[in-house]
Amino acid sequence: MDIAIREGLAEARALARQHWQALLTYVGLGVVLPFLLLSSEPIFDLRTLVAIAADPWTYRVSGSITGPLYLLGIVSLIVSGALLAAWNALLADIREGYISEIMYGLVAGAAYLAVNMILYFGVGIILSLPILLLAAFQPVQSYGIALAILRYIVSALLGSWIYARFCLVGPVMAASGRLEPVSAFAESWRRTRTAWPRLLGLYLAIYVLSGLLTLALLAPHLFILFNSAPGSFAETAMSVGWLLFWAAYFLMLLLVPAGLYSASEDRTTVEVFA
């Protein structure tokens, strides 16, 4: 079994043209709603984060951390649910309507989110072990910058490889209406067995491009924060820019795996009846 990247991206464009109304709905649910929820919490304001980073010893944030963490959990569940609901809308043989898709997305999205958190938390611990071991023998300052750069490169490579192998989990779940993700992880691993080098290159390119776009938005936003009053028109315009960026990123997370799944599904069908 193989997956052609060009064919997968063509399938993604076809799905976008065919289901553009559903995509707009789920961008509203998975991007706009979380954006508004996070905007309601002062700790997530960029001005607050810059102030904490600039003076972490004297700057104090009032209130409990429980509220922000609780809000982050809700937002993560909403985003995962919107992704699963959208994949169900794009890939299911018969659509059952938005209410059914959203209910499915919330249930399946919770399981999908939980397994992904366990997976990436485990990878994070593994990547942190070398730093902890080295810190036990000599001061971190003596190798901090080089190790940080190395850790960033390894994280990008390992993270992209993991995503390349498991990029089809959500589409596999949603296409068949599964509520448990374990079998979908196994199927994604099987379907990407021969295509993972190309998928790794694709997701590395997406990773680098997303990082560059983030820096392209962050630099002018920081300039505006340091040179304008809170609530200015320029700051509002930057918030709109971030919203559009996250909408585009959400669509990428949604459409690219859906297209790759469709390409692998078509190829599987050809192999079965060849």
Side-chain angles (χ1 to χ4, degrees):
M1 183 185 300
D2 203 0
I3 302 175
I5 302 299
R6 182 175 298 180
E7 182 183 351
L9 296 180
E11 290 283 351
R13 290 192 294 269
L15 289 170
R17 289 193 297 267
Q18 183 180 356
H19 299 282
W20 64 270
Q21 292 175 316
L23 290 176
L24 288 178
T25 300
Y26 289 117
V27 164
L29 178 62
V31 179
V32 179
L33 178 59
F35 189 87
L36 294 176
L37 289 175
L38 292 177
S39 298
S40 67
E41 176 58 53
I43 191 63
F44 297 119
D45 184 80
L46 186 58
R47 285 185 179 272
T48 304
L49 297 176
V50 169
I52 294 173
D55 197 1
W57 298 108
T58 60
Y59 191 87
R60 294 293 182 267
V61 180
S62 61
S64 172
I65 194 65
T66 304
L69 289 178
Y70 184 70
L71 182 59
L72 276 177
I74 293 176
V75 166
S76 299
L77 181 59
I78 291 174
V79 173
S80 298
L83 283 171
L84 267 296
W87 278 321
N88 186 254
L90 268 60
L91 300 172
D93 293 332
I94 300 176
R95 288 195 63 184
E96 298 182 2
Y98 288 111
I99 295 179
S100 177
E101 290 165 359
I102 292 173
M103 294 301 293
Y104 164 77
L106 290 176
V107 176
Y112 176 79
L113 176 64
V115 175
N116 273 282
M117 287 181 64
I118 293 172
L119 175 65
Y120 285 99
F121 182 73
V123 172
I125 292 177
I126 294 173
L127 291 177
S128 300
L129 284 177
I131 297 178
L132 297 175
L133 292 174
L134 287 172
F137 294 100
Q138 64 183 109
V140 178
Q141 291 79 1
S142 61
Y143 54 82
I145 296 178
L147 187 60
I149 294 174
L150 179 61
R151 185 175 186 273
Y152 181 81
I153 294 173
V154 173
S155 299
L157 290 172
L158 185 58
S160 298
W161 177 78
I162 292 174
Y163 205 90
R165 295 309 306 264
F166 297 126
C167 63
L168 303 182
V169 172
V172 168
M173 290 178 64
S176 55
R178 302 183 196 182
L179 295 177
E180 57 84 21
V182 176
S183 61
F185 272 86
E187 184 169 343
S188 178
W189 183 272
R190 177 179 60 84
R191 290 193 183 211
T192 59
R193 185 175 61 251
T194 59
W196 72 262
R198 293 190 299 276
L199 293 174
L200 173 61
L202 172 65
Y203 281 106
L204 269 177
I206 291 174
Y207 184 90
V208 172
L209 179 61
S210 300
L212 292 175
L213 290 176
T214 301
L215 290 175
L217 279 172
L218 186 60
H221 200 166
L222 291 175
F223 177 81
I224 291 170
L225 291 184
F226 289 122
N227 294 276
S228 66
S232 65
F233 174 79
E235 189 170 353
T236 302
M238 287 304 307
S239 297
V240 174
W242 281 110
L243 183 60
L244 293 175
F245 169 77
W246 289 118
Y249 190 76
F250 179 87
L251 288 173
M252 183 276 299
L253 289 178
L254 174 64
L255 288 171
V256 172
L260 295 172
Y261 170 83
S262 295
S264 69
E265 188 75 359
D266 291 341
R267 190 172 297 276
T268 302
T269 303
V270 171
E271 290 177 357
V272 170
F273 290 98

